[in-house]
Amino acid sequence: MASKDRGENERRSASISRKTNETDISVSVAIDGTGRASMETGVGFFDHMLDQLARHSMSDIEVRAKGDLHIDDHHTVEDTGITLGQAFSKALGDRKGITRYASLDLAMDEALTRAAIDVSGRPFLVWNVTFPTEKIGSFDTELVREFFQAFSQHAGITLHVTNLAGANSHHIAETCFKAVARVLRSAMEIDPRAADRIPSTKGILV
């Protein structure tokens, strides 16, 4: 496979740390991994969703986050999205050889979510997801969008997420994370017929 011929110096991995008055976050990403996940954000449901992101993108992801959870989960979730996006962007490098585009409809019980991605270097999020409840346990459902907004902006990806069916907020959120993970995996994979080329007629992805 072309991705195995890239050599040690081209291994697609990165570590990023980000510390503010609100959060202290460290993230490690290895794109060509096995889906290994190690999450400690202090937000149980969010850890569960990040586990899905790692497993279904086949990226090894480690997150250590300490945030002002005595206020709410917002800063921790958003800043994790920022830091994780930065790590993916750094790991992708110049994005040479990637497939770049992918789309998928993902079902989970009654829920169905569509995700489409362009790993373009140009950040944009289109979000068409409505949750029937404001919370999943103690987790604010509006934070799902906040995470993907931060992630897409700092990863440099165009991301469209549309929920097509669903009655259970947990299922809807999980299909969002799984669908994004699957398209991210497909779009980041090395195209063996164009492994040494930037997938753009401009010769650069930005």
Side-chain angles (χ1 to χ4, degrees):
M1 295 290 292
S3 60
K4 293 182 180 180
D5 295 332
R6 296 173 73 84
E8 288 295 319
N9 293 332
E10 295 184 76
R11 180 170 293 172
R12 299 192 298 171
S13 61
S15 296
I16 296 287
S17 295
R18 183 176 191 271
K19 187 172 184 178
T20 72
N21 290 333
E22 299 167 341
T23 59
D24 185 355
I25 299 172
S26 297
V27 168
S28 294
V29 168
I31 290 174
D32 303 304
T34 60
R36 182 181 59 83
S38 180
M39 311 300 177
E40 293 180 10
T41 68
V43 183
F45 180 75
F46 187 43
D47 284 352
H48 178 46
M49 293 298 100
L50 293 175
D51 285 346
Q52 304 304 321
L53 188 66
R55 176 65 179 271
H56 293 282
S57 70
M58 290 296 286
S59 298
D60 296 338
I61 302 175
E62 181 177 320
V63 177
R64 297 289 178 267
K66 295 181 180 179
D68 51 3
L69 299 180
H70 61 287
I71 296 176
D72 65 9
D73 299 340
H74 186 281
H75 296 143
T76 299
V77 172
E78 182 178 33
D79 288 7
T80 298
I82 291 170
T83 312
L84 192 59
Q86 290 172 343
F88 268 97
S89 182
K90 184 178 179 180
L92 283 165
D94 63 6
R95 310 184 186 212
K96 181 184 293 183
I98 64 169
T99 303
R100 180 175 169 178
Y101 299 100
S103 62
L104 175 79
D105 288 356
L106 189 137
M108 178 181 175
D109 299 339
E110 90 296 344
L112 177 65
T113 296
R114 173 176 298 153
I117 195 170
D118 176 8
V119 184
S120 60
R122 297 187 303 277
F124 204 91
L125 176 68
V126 176
W127 183 258
N128 293 303
V129 180
T130 301
F131 291 96
T133 62
E134 293 184 356
K135 288 184 177 292
I136 302 169
S138 61
F139 184 84
D140 293 331
T141 52
E142 67 180 10
L143 294 181
V144 178
R145 184 192 185 283
E146 292 302 315
F147 170 78
F148 284 114
Q149 175 69 30
F151 178 75
S152 61
Q153 287 291 313
H154 290 269
I157 61 175
T158 293
L159 181 62
H160 290 241
V161 183
T162 300
N163 177 244
L164 302 171
N168 181 284
S169 291
H170 186 133
H171 292 170
I172 293 170
E174 193 159 337
T175 57
C176 290
F177 275 86
K178 286 180 175 178
V180 170
R182 294 292 297 191
V183 296
L184 192 62
R185 173 185 174 181
S186 296
M188 294 189 304
E189 285 182 346
I190 300 301
D191 182 345
R193 294 191 297 170
D196 296 321
R197 289 186 290 177
I198 301 291
S200 171
T201 55
K202 295 195 298 283
I204 188 172
L205 286 176
V206 63

